[in-house]
Structures are given as C-alpha cells and as structure tokens.
Amino acid sequence: MNQLTSSNAAPLKGTITVPGDKSISHRSLIMAALSIGESTISGLLEGEDVLGTAAALRELGADIYKDDTGVWHVHGVGIGGLKQPSAPLDMGNSGTGVRLMMGLVATHPIEVTFTGDASLSSRPMKRVTDPLTEFGAEFLGNDEGTLPITVKGAKMPLPITYALPVASAQVKSAVMLAGLNTAGNTTVIEKIPTRDHSERIFNYFGVPIKLEGDNIIVTGHAELTARKMAVPADPSSAAFLMVAALITEGSDITIKNVGINTARTGLFTTLIEMGGDISFENKRQECGEDVADIRVRHSKLSGIIVPKERAPSMIDEYPVLCAAAACASGETVMRGIKELRVKESDRIAVMVKGLKSCGINVTEFPDGMTVKKSIANGTHEIETKLDHRIAMSFLILGLCSDNAITIDDGTVIETSFPGFTNLMNSLGANMGFQT
Ligand code: S3P
C-alpha cells in the first residue's frame, strides 16, 4: 500500500535543510562528466530523477560514485568523449534528465535510445528534437514525438541559432549542451528569461557564456575544468515547507542554505505579497549561485492575482500555491500557465480535480485556475498521476484540512524529495503511509 495520509498538525517548529536543487544537481553531474579530471559534488539531490542522470552518464563512460562522507566524485570523459552505451537509457520520471541528456548526445557520434515511465512517455519531446535536428542529429520514434526515442548523434555537428518558441530552461539547456561539442558559436535567443543555472554552471566549469541582449552564446570545444561543486538546497522543495509553516498556526521554521536565484523565487515574492512573514538571512554566493537561510512564520494570507510574467520563476510551484490559496482570504488568480499542462502530469487538471474533491472552491481555465478560500474537508483519495509535486501539495493541504487528506501513491515523492514525510513529521506534521 502506497497511500499516504496527512492530517491537522501541531505548530511546525525547527531549523532544517531540504535536499539539493534538482536542476543544479542534474547539471552538476553532466558538467563534471564532461570535464577531464575529478570533480566533487556535495549536497547532490539523491532523488530518483538525479540518480537516473548519474546512471545514464555512467553508461556513457563517466566514472561516478559517492564516498562515505556523502560527497559525489565524478571522473569525466571530456567533451566529445562519450561512449556508445550498451542498452537504452531509462530516464524514469525526469523531463529535465531526458531533455538535457538528449542535448548532450545529439552532437556525439553515438546512437542512444531513451525511455521513461508512463508520465515521461506522455510528455512532448519535439521541443528538443526540433532544434537538435538542426545540429544534424536524427531522431527515430513515433509520430507523437514521445518516448521511446532513439537519437543518432551528428558526426559533424553544425552550430545553430535558435529562438526558443516556449519559455523553457530545459530546451535552452539542451541546445547549450549540444553546442559544447560543436565547433563555432551556438546561440539561443530567449525573449522570456527562464532559470539560468546552465549559464552559471557553464561559467563555473570554465566555458564562458556570452550574453548579448536576448542572445546566449556558447562557443564549442572549450575545455571544461573539473570543479568542486556545492549544490544549494532546492527552493522548489523548500516551497512545500514554507507554505506548510505559513498555513499552520503557531509555526516558525528556518530552512538553511536554500537557493535564492531570482529566476526561481517567484513563489517567495508571491507569498510575501499575500502577507507571508518570510525573511532571508545570511545571504551569500556559492559556486556561482545565490543562497540564504529562510525563516517563515505562520501568517494570515490574502489572495492575489499572480502576474502572468512571473510564471517562469515559479513554474513548479503552482500546485503548492493552491494549498496556500485555499487558506488565504479572497481569491487567488493563477493564469498564463498553460505549460503546467505538460509537466509530470496535467497539473491544472489534476489540481482542479483534487481540490474539488476536497471541497475547495476552484475554477479551471485553459491557461490556469482561480482558488477561493475554503475549508478543505477532503477524505477522498487524491489521484496524483505519478506527479511528485501534486503528491506533496495535497499532503501540505492536509495540514489545515478538517479531515485527513490521503493521496493514492506517496512513493513518487522520491523523485525529487527523498525523506519528505520524515522531515515534515520532525517539524510537527502528521503524515504516514496507510497500513
Ligand atoms: C527545469 C526547467 C523547468 C522546470 C523543471 C526543471 C530545468 O521545466 O519545470 O522542473 O532544470 O531546466 P521547463 O524547461 O519545461 O520549463
């Protein structure tokens, strides 16, 4: 039985940290695997998604292991040095993993088949295969452009200039990674800024990125320098604890060492505008990323209209914002987010259905939803559709629900937040698997 239940909690109190940033963890492994020499990575997210990327990189020739102190060591193969894997690479649930890895192999003369779970196999891949085809790579698969897909990497890749048709850091990063093993300048034109972890980590590993207006320019065949990398805690994981503390009376928590790159902190801004008592302490920079300790205290929240242009900086946080919105006076409007329909699940449809079944007043639109303050009374089992963020968001809502909220499958949380329920319970929550 994988059902997991969350019910009314005592005040949440304590100082904790959350697992490493998922985006930065994938990129750290990939950059280290492309460097000659040994890189070390501390704070790596050991969720299934990132472990899948590590396993794929091992298949492509990198030597990757974890030592007794929890630090990861990577001996890279150098740009152009990826070897032909002997079996398909199973990227599990991870859109970031598969899209970044496709970019990487597209300009190596190898043939790689990518597979994934039911959720990943329904997600659009044309958004990466289209630009990667321009480098000279070939893609064999079905007409829908979904996994499984076999990539025949270009033998003589040509540099491209590509204007992103969707605001997507995964697509931007796939093109940038393909540019690494391509002679000349590869340019991505990004009109709507998305998370810039690739730009930052390219610089950190010694590949200078030129930024000219909306153009992000990668010069191929640079030599990467093996580095010591420290991954900050994931703001998208911290988000669950922050909302939990805001909506649970008497709470006061501090989350240490969280990434506060402004390309990721749209939810923090939104929660502060809603009246959240959130403060950032001990702000600093580590390995090219901004980090801080975040203190959050229970607050009376009010609904707001979330500006559409804020979406890229909080794209993964709308499900948990729904939990905050259900406890906030008035109405919270979330529009301009149709990208949510192609995440690990159709997050608009799945949230709306789940919230309604808990008795929450919610209206669905093609590009978003509005949520009105209501008392969650849900005893129904929530369908999470293999989506970790849906699973955690409903468990957070359970903290202030009249009755307990049960989700159908708690194991999917392992993809991004191993130890979530134990951590929540250590702060005072009441979450457990059904026996
Ligand atoms: C990510 C980019 C975002 C985000 C995902 C991680 C990344 O996806 O939703 O969880 O690491 O580049 P899109 O690029 O599809 O917006």
Side-chain angles (χ1 to χ4, degrees):
M1 294 263 265
N2 296 327
Q3 291 138 314
L4 195 49
T5 293
S6 167
S7 51
N8 250 253
L12 305 176
K13 301 255 183 197
T15 297
I16 34 87
T17 187
V18 297
D21 188 281
K22 182 159 72 67
S23 295
I24 300 175
S25 293
H26 284 292
R27 288 163 173 79
S28 301
L29 286 169
I30 292 173
M31 295 307 279
L34 289 178
S35 307
I36 306 258
E38 183 184 82
S39 294
T40 57
I41 309 171
S42 57
L44 187 83
L45 168 62
E46 294 176 10
E48 284 167 359
D49 277 12
V50 173
L51 296 179
T53 291
L57 290 166
R58 277 191 201 104
E59 282 296 316
L60 293 165
D63 181 23
I64 303 176
Y65 63 93
K66 180 175 145 181
D67 72 20
D68 296 344
T69 66
V71 173
W72 286 75
H73 297 249
V74 181
H75 295 261
V77 294
I79 289 177
L82 299 181
K83 78 169 177 51
Q84 173 66 43
S86 55
L89 303 182
D90 180 358
M91 302 310 294
N93 191 258
S94 181
T96 309
V98 76
R99 293 189 178 122
L100 267 52
M101 293 300 293
M102 276 191 187
L104 184 62
V105 304
T107 53
H108 280 74
I110 53 178
E111 188 171 317
V112 183
T113 300
F114 290 96
T115 62
D117 72 3
S119 151
L120 189 58
S121 300
S122 67
R123 298 180 65 185
M125 294 298 146
K126 252 177 82 60
R127 54 180 59 196
V128 282
T129 59
D130 278 352
L132 296 176
T133 302
E134 293 183 28
F135 282 95
E138 282 180 66
F139 295 87
L140 312 176
N142 55 37
D143 292 342
E144 284 78 52
T146 53
L147 297 185
I149 290 176
T150 298
V151 185
K152 283 186 172 179
K155 292 196 174 74
M156 297 277 282
L158 297 168
I160 69 166
T161 294
Y162 189 70
L164 292 174
V166 276
S168 165
Q170 292 176 356
V171 178
K172 167 174 68 176
S173 305
V175 174
M176 289 173 68
L177 285 165
L180 280 177
N181 197 33
T182 303
N185 284 345
T186 290
T187 304
V188 184
I189 304 169
E190 184 179 60
K191 294 262 183 257
I192 302 169
T194 63
R195 64 189 69 193
D196 61 353
H197 302 304
S198 295
E199 292 89 314
R200 288 174 187 241
I201 206 167
F202 272 45
N203 281 321
Y204 187 65
F205 275 79
V207 184
I209 296 294
K210 265 190 248 138
L211 300 175
E212 291 173 5
D214 296 339
N215 293 8
I216 301 161
I217 304 163
V218 181
T219 304
H221 291 167
E223 195 162 306
L224 272 69
T225 319
R227 296 302 304 252
K228 250 192 180 157
M229 183 71 201
V231 179
D234 197 326
S236 298
S237 295
F240 295 102
L241 281 83
M242 292 169 72
V243 171
L246 288 173
I247 65 176
T248 308
E249 233 161 90
S251 298
D252 183 354
I253 65 167
T254 298
I255 315 167
K256 306 276 280 184
N257 202 37
V258 183
I260 54 161
N261 178 329
T262 51
R264 295 285 299 282
T265 51
L267 178 79
F268 303 173
T269 308
T270 302
L271 292 173
I272 291 168
E273 285 175 5
M274 291 171 80
D277 181 349
I278 299 173
S279 55
F280 300 89
E281 295 161 9
N282 196 13
K283 283 190 186 172
R284 57 207 183 269
Q285 258 233 341
E286 269 175 33
C287 301
E289 289 284 351
D290 302 310
V291 292
D293 304 331
I294 305 182
R295 183 168 180 193
V296 188
R297 283 173 273 199
H298 168 69
S299 309
K300 291 244 170 302
L301 300 177
S302 317
I304 62 163
I305 299 172
V306 182
K308 290 180 183 174
E309 57 281 6
R310 195 176 287 164
S313 66
M314 54 180 289
I315 196 69
D316 293 334
E317 277 65 79
Y318 286 91
V320 75
L321 177 58
C322 289
C327 305
S329 62
E331 184 176 70
T332 302
V333 181
M334 304 168 232
R335 304 288 297 265
I337 50 173
K338 73 176 191 321
E339 267 296 299
L340 258 66
R341 296 204 181 269
V342 291
K343 293 292 178 189
E344 285 81 332
S345 67
D346 175 343
R347 285 186 172 155
I348 296 174
V350 176
M351 281 309 297
V352 166
K353 186 169 173 215
L355 289 169
K356 279 189 177 157
S357 77
C358 293
I360 304 284
N361 195 334
V362 52
T363 311
E364 179 172 0
F365 299 95
D367 71 334
M369 57 203 147
T370 57
V371 177
K372 281 202 186 118
K373 183 176 171 70
S374 353
I375 302 207
N377 61 11
T379 43
H380 299 284
E381 184 178 291
I382 304 293
E383 251 191 313
T384 54
K385 299 273 185 197
L386 286 179
D387 189 327
H388 52 133
R389 298 199 200 281
I390 300 285
M392 289 184 275
S393 299
F394 278 101
L395 293 174
I396 297 302
L397 185 62
L399 299 174
C400 65
S401 168
D402 263 5
N403 300 307
I405 291 185
T406 298
I407 58 167
D408 59 357
D409 184 0
T411 59
V412 71
I413 293 171
E414 288 300 306
T415 61
S416 71
F417 200 150
F420 172 74
T421 46
N422 286 343
L423 188 63
M424 289 304 303
N425 289 341
S426 77
L427 291 172
N430 199 0
M431 297 182 185
F433 278 101
Q434 300 266 299
T435 45

